[in-house]
Amino acid sequence: MATRSPEDIEAFCRRAQDHWSKDGRRTQVRDILSRVVAAQAAPFSADELRTQARRIDRGISYASIYRTLGSLVEAGLLREIVGPNDRRCYTLIDSTHTGVSHIVCTDCEQVVPMNDDCLPLREGFLARQLGFTPRKMSLRIEASCEELRQHGACARRKQKEP
Amino acid sequence: MATRSPEDIEAFCRRAQDHWSKDGRRTQVRDILSRVVAAQAAPFSADELRTQARRIDRGISYASIYRTLGSLVEAGLLREIVGPNDRRCYTLIDSTHTGVSHIVCTDCEQVVPMNDDCLPLREGFLARQLGFTPRKMSLRIEASCEELRQHGACARRKQKEP
DNA sequence: CTAAATGCAAACAGTTTGCAGCTGC
DNA sequence: GCAGCTGCAAACTGTTTGCATTTAG
């Protein structure tokens, strides 16, 4: 699985910490969550974040997970999307990924972000013509895996963490 | 509020009944639900459907609502979308409306379908390039209402049913 | 010192399900 | 008659909340 570069992780972490320094407080829990979130190479669920964060601090609760995720979404650092089985997932909003589109594979339960920079422009324009000011945008493509269909297996299938 | 033409309602009803004649059974409950669904001028929630259906038959249950909605979605007669406050809504798939995009207004809690026929083509093509076969597609634009901002009121605000 | 953040457990909302009885064919 | 549908109530899942306690600044 692809990993994020140390620089990207570092940069994202700092953005999150900045956000909290301004708007609230920098705490241990938030620092841990920043680090874990910043390192995610793929879209992740609240549950996955909790599991990974608990490897660092066993006591981190769902309450903090959800409150933190909400805060990062509001701050524009994360995008909330609808993943496999209609479960919520989160993707980083980053220099390396700004797209609003993603593919949800029903075969391998994987979420694959897409880049399509002109989509928001085009659709945003249409929305404005209808008298709206667009705030968030998200294109979800539910799809099946061609690789799986042809070869009976798919390299993208997400592994369960040990 | 706009209403659907009797012909459109009739046509949609028949499609639903056809579906059930082939794949299952035509029942009283399903006929009522077909009629109510077919008449919806705007995207609707499971709850709204239930309320309206209960005006015809007081006994209709959530179980039937959800099972019926699921069946209609699977049959390609309805599209499931994420509406205001992340609640699920349903829109008809019809000769009068085939688009995959919709605006969710955070001010008036209204869902406005958009037509953008080339979006599925364009994005479907991109998805295929990545090795996926697209099955469903849905663009959600969360937006605020310009009319409300400027005039302090919005004609689109959904009225509570009596 | 004080306001903000946390963990816990309980509450919550929307949806799904198991089962006994009813209904269409 | 019998498979398939229905309503009911209970179960379920992911998320939110109230509150007593801890912690950052």
Side-chain angles (χ1 to χ4, degrees):
Chain A
M1 194 213 292
T3 354
R4 280 163 57 76
S5 79
E7 302 83 57
D8 287 343
I9 296 179
E10 184 52 29
F12 191 97
C13 254
R14 195 156 26 237
R15 282 207 292 149
Q17 290 164 3
D18 272 14
H19 161 59
W20 279 312
S21 301
K22 265 169 224 150
D23 179 21
R25 252 168 215 184
R26 223 182 122 174
T27 69
Q28 254 188 334
V29 169
R30 287 177 174 172
D31 272 2
I32 291 171
L33 292 179
S34 304
R35 265 203 285 151
V36 176
V37 165
Q40 299 303 310
F44 60 95
S45 65
D47 206 53
E48 284 161 356
L49 174 57
R50 178 168 174 270
T51 307
Q52 292 182 39
R54 284 207 163 202
R55 299 218 188 93
I56 302 171
D57 176 345
R58 187 61 57 101
I60 288 177
S61 66
Y62 273 119
S64 294
I65 297 289
Y66 283 112
R67 287 191 268 237
T68 302
L69 285 172
S71 171
L72 289 175
V73 168
E74 234 186 314
L77 297 179
L78 291 182
R79 182 189 310 285
E80 190 184 289
I81 65 184
V82 178
N85 296 108
D86 287 359
R87 260 181 244 117
R88 287 187 205 171
C89 289
Y90 301 84
T91 64
L92 309 201
I93 300 178
D94 217 18
S95 54
T96 64
H97 174 244
T98 54
V100 302
S101 313
H102 61 279
I103 296 168
V104 176
C105 180
T106 47
D107 292 326
C108 37
E109 299 230 325
Q110 170 108 350
V111 181
V112 182
M114 283 170 72
N115 269 318
D116 183 358
D117 292 337
C118 54
L119 186 144
L121 289 167
R122 240 184 301 105
E123 305 303 323
F125 175 74
L126 292 176
R128 257 180 279 267
Q129 282 195 314
L130 292 169
F132 294 98
T133 304
R135 303 288 180 197
K136 293 181 188 171
M137 211 176 288
S138 168
L139 174 69
R140 181 180 193 272
I141 302 179
E142 197 174 296
S144 52
C145 178
E146 205 44 36
E147 194 177 345
L148 183 73
R149 199 183 63 71
Q150 289 183 3
H151 307 111
C154 165
R156 271 185 281 248
R157 191 187 294 270
K158 196 178 242 177
Q159 265 97 92
K160 280 259 181 280
E161 294 273 340
Chain B
M1 196 212 292
T3 352
R4 279 164 56 76
S5 81
E7 302 82 58
D8 287 343
I9 296 180
E10 185 52 27
F12 191 96
C13 255
R14 195 157 25 239
R15 282 207 291 149
Q17 290 164 3
D18 273 13
H19 162 59
W20 279 312
S21 302
K22 263 169 226 149
D23 178 21
R25 249 166 218 185
R26 225 183 118 171
T27 70
Q28 253 187 334
V29 169
R30 287 176 175 175
D31 272 3
I32 291 172
L33 292 179
S34 304
R35 267 203 283 151
V36 176
V37 166
Q40 299 303 309
F44 60 95
S45 65
D47 206 52
E48 285 161 356
L49 174 58
R50 178 168 174 270
T51 307
Q52 293 183 36
R54 284 207 163 202
R55 299 218 187 94
I56 302 171
D57 176 345
R58 188 61 57 101
I60 290 176
S61 67
Y62 273 119
S64 294
I65 296 289
Y66 282 112
R67 288 191 266 237
T68 302
L69 285 172
S71 171
L72 290 175
V73 168
E74 234 186 314
L77 297 180
L78 291 182
R79 182 190 310 286
E80 190 183 290
I81 65 184
V82 178
N85 295 109
D86 286 359
R87 262 182 243 117
R88 286 188 205 171
C89 289
Y90 301 85
T91 64
L92 309 201
I93 300 177
D94 216 18
S95 54
T96 64
H97 174 243
T98 54
V100 302
S101 312
H102 60 278
I103 297 168
V104 176
C105 179
T106 47
D107 291 326
C108 36
E109 299 232 325
Q110 170 107 350
V111 181
V112 182
M114 282 170 71
N115 270 317
D116 184 358
D117 292 337
C118 53
L119 185 145
L121 290 168
R122 240 185 300 106
E123 305 303 322
F125 175 74
L126 291 177
R128 257 181 279 268
Q129 283 194 313
L130 292 170
F132 295 98
T133 304
R135 303 288 180 197
K136 293 180 188 172
M137 210 176 285
S138 169
L139 174 69
R140 180 180 194 273
I141 303 179
E142 197 174 296
S144 53
C145 177
E146 206 44 34
E147 194 178 344
L148 183 74
R149 201 183 61 71
Q150 288 183 3
H151 308 111
C154 165
R156 271 186 280 247
R157 192 187 295 269
K158 195 178 244 177
Q159 264 97 94
K160 279 259 181 280
E161 296 272 339

